[in-house]
Amino acid sequence: MAKETQRQSKVGMPVAFVRREEAPLLPPPPSQAGLIGWLYKNIFASMSDFGSIGAAVKSVLMAGLTVILLYFLATQFYGLLDFALFSAVWSDPDGVKREACWTVEQGGALPAGWHAACWPYIAAKAKFIFYGAYPEDQLWRVNFAYVVGAVMLVWVMIERLPYRKPVGLLLLTAYPVLATVLLTGGGFGLSATTVGIYTILGLAAITFGRLGKLGRITGPLADLAQIAGVAGWVLIFLAAILVLVGVDFNLPAVDTRDWGGLLITLVVAITGIVASLPLGIVLALGRRSEMPVARFLSTVFIEFWRGVPLITVLFMASVMLPLFMPEGVNFDMLLRALIGVTLFSAAYMAEVVRGGLQAIDKGQYEGADAVGLSYWQSMRLVILPQALTHVIPGIVNTFIGLFKDTALVSIVGIFDLLGAAQSTLADPAWSTPVQGITGYLVVGMLFFIFCFGMSRYSMYMERKLSRGHKR
Amino acid sequence: MAQAQQKTDRQADDATVVSMTGVNKWFGQFHVLRDINLTVQKGERIVICGPSGSGKSTLIRCLNRLERHQDGEIRVHGIELNNDVKNIEEIRREVGMVFQHFNLFPHLSILENCMLAPVWVRKMPKAEAEEIAMHFLDRVKIPEQAHKYPGQLSGGQQQRVAIARALCMQPQLMLFDEPTSALDPEMIKEVLDTMVELAESGMTMLCVTHEMGFARKVANRVIFMDEGQIVEQNEPEAFFNNPQSDRTKLFLSQILGH
């Protein structure tokens, strides 16, 4: 201590200091703010240090590399634009089909060496690429289902609109029924007995549940009554669905074998996405449960479905499953694929959600317990909102993976977007060297639009949900 | 439900809030609580102190089943704590807890933190829950922060919110688990002031804390724990001025020595 004082006094620095006036608050230098700041931080920061020879060499190299990369990007991007837009053939006014996209060497009118998109081919095949073999005069049903779904989805996503919750609820309950009826034609002619049994069972379960609530049922049966109360409503709901899809709306039936193209991709992906998230959440909770049976079953389910390739699942569903079924029982092929895809991605989803649950501080569970919330309340109100927010990137990752994996259903004879586009390539009437590239370009663009859309929306959600409670 | 209500009513005029008889608890091989016998009367303010690892936090965490005891009997408001989820939920409704690390819900605003349990557990209408929440936020002197999120508040403010959140359930008993240990020195006072005020209002309190000034000021009884046992308990004056056990003397000399 004494040494320190000596040293300071030797240098002549005063030890005591009292600030008499406030240090002024200054605006940041231009390299920190505004457009210049942005450019500096994001582009020029690595190439503007000329303090030493080494730094100067690095700066120059960086600048050179940037220019080269920009040039490379620009030419590639121009090449793509040129292929898809500038040099492309846009119409086939004479109705000559493939010859519209032939060069002089091939017998057409286009200059030699021409290589660009052939859009008339896409126009001619658009119906098949988007709807498969769905009957032409019934397409309005698909489009109507699209429009209703899109309007409801957008409604739920825009925060300023009123009634978002009821619309969301309808989107998850009534809309699937509506879409099923519209797309298949409904009128499944399910027996009145089935509906009757569901209704009676449902009413009985609800009554049992009510009795439990009123305290008429005690002991171990009380918990059962609580579950029965919920199950009863589910049964009634199922009965209502059965009635709705059973009613004959006078729509011609369209077999799912005639569905195809983007329609199949959307049906499989959306069903998979909507069903796999709740299923995954339940499985994740099950795997972390303190009840050994729930934990064991969830773990077995997850490990089984994660350990099998999706292709195997689809093959099993299409080839093996019918062998185990009794004679005459026949599941719809698309339904089988849907179930396979859903269970498969639910297993992945479960692990993503479990990661989020793992990241929640033990104090949050204790805080929720201490104020008296029940297990399900604390999960729904405290734990899951935080856990799911943490893993939005992982969830959307699984969604996007699922969306693209739908292309695999084409190996069991279901024509999804990719499968449908591929099958149009076999048409000799449009056979040209650029046919394949044009087709795949369209498929790629469509996949990209949906996946990129999901990605952007998830980033928006992340920003929105992290607002206010950053730690 | 009706039965449960009766049970609570019957206990309301009974003066015993907590009774622990021969309670033992182990973490694996480690015997954390050894033969704990403790009775808490309505309106009592008890401070539990002791070296770290002595089991004092575990003791109060057993009272609302954040930890389960393996042996002995614990009754809170006459309801026995056992594996029956109904009993546990009933007890948790009547017992508020404040944690060392606040454990506020970061995704909910201050007001929502306070309203959550009354709305979902007590099934209170939202307007009423909000009124009660604002009343208690007012009492801990931060009504103006109601619409902020926990992450935007200082540690002391967060802890006061945590106290308000627990009070919104209008509990019969408040447990404090080292409420000031995670706070900066300049924020400890504001939390202690809130706790003193609460004590003066007649709340039954069980506080695990190292704040001996608080113990002297408001406690009826100070309990000293070591190695999982209650070593000594007495009125604060006698406890601090005339400790009987050597372990208590050593502990007091260590924490009051500097």
Side-chain angles (χ1 to χ4, degrees):
Chain A
M1 198 59 202
K3 203 173 158 197
E4 186 77 356
T5 326
Q6 209 180 16
R7 195 180 62 80
Q8 278 185 350
S9 51
K10 207 186 267 174
V11 180
M13 236 182 3
V15 178
F17 167 76
V18 179
R19 184 174 282 286
R20 301 278 178 210
E21 53 198 275
E22 288 285 295
L25 291 167
L26 299 172
S31 65
Q32 292 298 310
L35 178 66
I36 295 176
W38 187 90
L39 286 174
Y40 180 80
K41 229 188 305 185
N42 292 288
I43 298 177
F44 296 111
S46 58
M47 43 179 113
S48 51
D49 183 1
F50 295 96
S52 66
I53 294 179
V57 169
K58 194 192 126 217
S59 293
V60 171
L61 276 177
M62 281 303 203
L65 207 56
T66 307
V67 170
I68 291 169
L69 280 175
L70 280 177
Y71 172 76
F72 186 71
L73 277 178
T75 48
Q76 288 301 305
F77 189 61
Y78 178 78
L80 182 66
L81 286 183
D82 186 50
F83 181 89
L85 303 174
F86 307 146
S87 301
V89 172
W90 288 95
S91 60
D92 176 21
D94 309 325
V96 291
K97 294 194 171 175
R98 61 183 181 182
E99 283 165 43
C101 297
W102 274 357
T103 60
V104 278
E105 296 143 317
Q106 291 148 353
L110 292 162
W114 174 87
H115 183 80
C118 179
W119 294 117
Y121 148 67
I122 296 297
K125 298 294 176 190
K127 190 253 150 190
F128 195 77
I129 292 174
F130 283 92
Y131 304 97
Y134 209 92
E136 200 99 35
D137 57 338
Q138 299 296 322
L139 287 185
W140 66 269
R141 281 154 56 177
V142 182
N143 294 333
F144 185 59
Y146 280 163
V147 170
V148 174
V151 166
M152 288 173 95
L153 189 65
V154 170
W155 190 309
V156 174
M157 286 185 348
I158 297 177
E159 277 170 80
R160 272 163 300 176
L161 292 179
Y163 306 116
R164 283 173 65 220
K165 269 192 186 165
V167 171
L169 202 65
L170 282 178
L171 187 63
L172 290 176
T173 53
Y175 180 70
V177 181
L178 173 80
T180 312
V181 170
L182 272 174
L183 294 178
T184 60
F188 290 127
L190 295 146
S191 68
T193 353
T194 323
V195 176
I197 290 172
Y198 274 66
T199 316
I200 291 166
L201 276 178
L203 288 176
I206 290 171
T207 320
F208 189 51
R210 286 259 18 123
L211 286 177
K213 237 182 193 164
L214 295 172
R216 302 276 174 77
I217 296 164
T218 46
L221 279 180
D223 293 335
L224 200 64
Q226 214 176 355
I227 300 168
V230 180
W233 285 110
V234 175
L235 281 173
I236 294 287
F237 181 66
L238 283 178
I241 291 179
L242 285 179
V243 170
L244 279 175
V245 298
V247 172
D248 191 355
F249 289 98
N250 216 7
L251 292 169
V254 180
D255 197 298
T256 54
R257 271 170 294 191
D258 291 337
W259 301 14
L262 185 65
L263 172 62
I264 283 281
T265 296
L266 289 178
V267 166
V268 175
I270 292 173
T271 316
I273 285 172
V274 171
S276 69
L277 183 60
L279 199 54
I281 290 173
V282 170
L283 285 169
L285 292 176
R287 198 168 182 176
R288 281 174 58 84
S289 164
E290 282 171 16
M291 289 182 282
V293 179
R295 197 169 53 222
F296 176 75
L297 290 178
S298 307
T299 310
V300 167
F301 182 95
I302 292 168
E303 294 304 336
F304 173 77
W305 286 94
R306 245 183 0 155
V308 179
L310 182 55
I311 295 190
T312 320
V313 172
L314 292 171
F315 268 131
M316 284 288 281
S318 74
V319 184
M320 301 290 285
L321 204 61
L323 298 180
F324 300 129
M325 291 289 171
E327 194 80 26
V329 174
N330 196 18
F331 260 117
D332 185 89
M333 181 55 222
L334 179 63
L335 187 61
R336 280 182 267 159
L338 274 179
I339 294 172
V341 168
T342 303
L343 297 184
F344 183 82
S345 56
Y348 279 88
M349 192 60 75
E351 289 298 278
V352 172
V353 173
R354 192 167 67 93
L357 291 173
Q358 223 95 292
I360 303 295
D361 183 54
K362 194 162 153 266
Q364 291 293 310
Y365 291 90
E366 292 181 348
D369 282 349
V371 291
L373 296 176
S374 70
Y375 173 81
W376 288 108
Q377 284 174 336
S378 72
M379 287 302 137
R380 189 159 68 87
L381 301 167
V382 176
I383 306 299
L384 282 173
Q386 297 182 59
L388 294 181
T389 311
H390 284 318
V391 292
I392 286 177
I395 290 175
V396 176
N397 214 6
T398 313
F399 282 170
I400 290 178
L402 167 66
F403 195 94
K404 293 188 293 187
D405 280 351
T406 56
L408 287 176
V409 298
S410 63
I411 63 155
V412 292
I414 302 173
F415 284 102
D416 77 309
L417 178 55
L418 181 61
Q422 230 162 0
S423 72
T424 65
L425 299 181
D427 183 359
W430 284 98
S431 162
T432 70
V434 293
Q435 184 192 19
I437 305 179
T438 311
Y440 288 127
L441 182 69
V442 168
V443 172
M445 296 284 268
L446 284 170
F447 268 110
F448 181 79
I449 288 168
F450 283 100
C451 293
F452 188 65
M454 279 192 269
S455 163
R456 296 314 296 184
Y457 187 68
S458 86
M459 301 197 35
Y460 162 77
M461 285 298 286
E462 271 177 60
R463 271 200 309 276
K464 196 187 93 159
L465 291 174
S466 69
R467 201 181 296 154
H469 58 87
K470 280 224 171 76
R471 277 195 281 189
Chain B
M1 201 56 199
Q3 266 182 333
Q5 194 56 49
Q6 258 179 5
K7 222 194 271 177
T8 325
D9 289 344
R10 197 175 60 235
Q11 291 305 327
D13 40 58
D14 193 342
T16 305
V17 181
V18 175
S19 72
M20 298 175 90
T21 334
V23 172
N24 283 287
K25 175 173 174 58
W26 290 262
F27 283 134
Q29 287 291 316
F30 181 53
H31 199 169
V32 261
L33 291 182
R34 291 151 72 183
D35 188 35
I36 302 289
N37 292 288
L38 176 68
T39 311
V40 181
Q41 303 295 317
K42 195 168 167 48
E44 265 199 297
R45 302 177 293 276
I46 298 177
V47 164
I48 305 176
C49 59
S52 71
S54 60
K56 49 198 192 311
S57 284
T58 311
L59 187 145
I60 66 164
R61 286 160 60 85
C62 278
L63 293 178
N64 62 354
R65 255 294 153 125
L66 290 186
E67 303 285 357
R68 68 205 283 176
H69 59 287
Q70 277 98 32
D71 186 28
E73 191 192 69
I74 301 180
R75 280 179 179 276
V76 182
H77 301 291
I79 306 163
E80 191 187 346
L81 258 181
N82 49 23
N83 287 331
D84 190 338
V85 179
K86 286 242 159 59
N87 284 5
I88 297 173
E89 285 180 358
E90 205 180 328
I91 286 172
R92 282 177 178 165
R93 276 199 288 272
E94 303 303 327
V95 176
M97 186 160 198
V98 176
F99 298 87
Q100 182 177 0
H101 295 287
F102 331 135
N103 297 357
L104 294 175
F105 308 133
H107 63 300
L108 299 176
S109 72
I110 299 306
L111 187 61
E112 288 165 337
N113 262 279
C114 294
M115 289 167 61
L116 189 74
V119 168
W120 289 94
V121 181
R122 290 230 189 271
K123 313 284 178 212
M124 201 181 270
K126 274 203 169 146
E128 195 187 337
E130 183 170 341
E131 204 174 297
I132 290 179
M134 287 313 293
H135 168 75
F136 283 110
L137 285 175
D138 205 35
R139 235 178 103 181
V140 301
K141 303 188 178 65
I142 29 178
E144 70 283 359
Q145 313 282 7
H147 295 286
K148 288 194 182 167
Y149 285 88
Q152 295 166 297
L153 268 55
S154 73
Q157 289 173 322
Q158 289 193 46
Q159 193 61 299
R160 283 186 283 153
V161 171
I163 294 173
R165 178 178 74 177
L167 290 176
C168 283
M169 283 294 280
Q170 293 163 314
Q172 315 270 348
L173 167 68
M174 284 285 283
L175 306 174
F176 291 84
D177 187 0
E178 307 206 19
T180 55
S181 302
L183 296 176
D184 289 341
E186 51 186 322
M187 294 170 182
I188 290 178
K189 188 176 174 294
E190 62 185 64
V191 171
L192 286 180
D193 286 348
T194 310
M195 288 170 63
V196 169
E197 202 233 329
L198 187 61
E200 282 163 358
S201 76
M203 174 64 76
T204 315
M205 291 163 73
L206 230 70
C207 314
V208 171
T209 180
H210 297 296
E211 299 296 333
M212 291 305 135
F214 174 77
R216 275 180 198 273
K217 199 165 174 185
V218 303
N220 311 98
R221 201 181 345 159
V222 181
I223 294 177
F224 172 68
M225 284 185 74
D226 194 17
E227 295 183 342
Q229 310 161 83
I230 295 181
V231 174
E232 188 167 345
Q233 53 173 315
N234 211 334
E235 289 177 0
E237 277 311 301
F239 179 85
F240 288 113
N241 299 336
N242 190 16
Q244 300 296 311
S245 128
D246 290 341
R247 282 195 266 183
T248 315
K249 284 176 195 162
L250 180 66
F251 175 73
L252 287 177
S253 74
Q254 275 163 346
I255 61 164
L256 300 174
H258 56 89

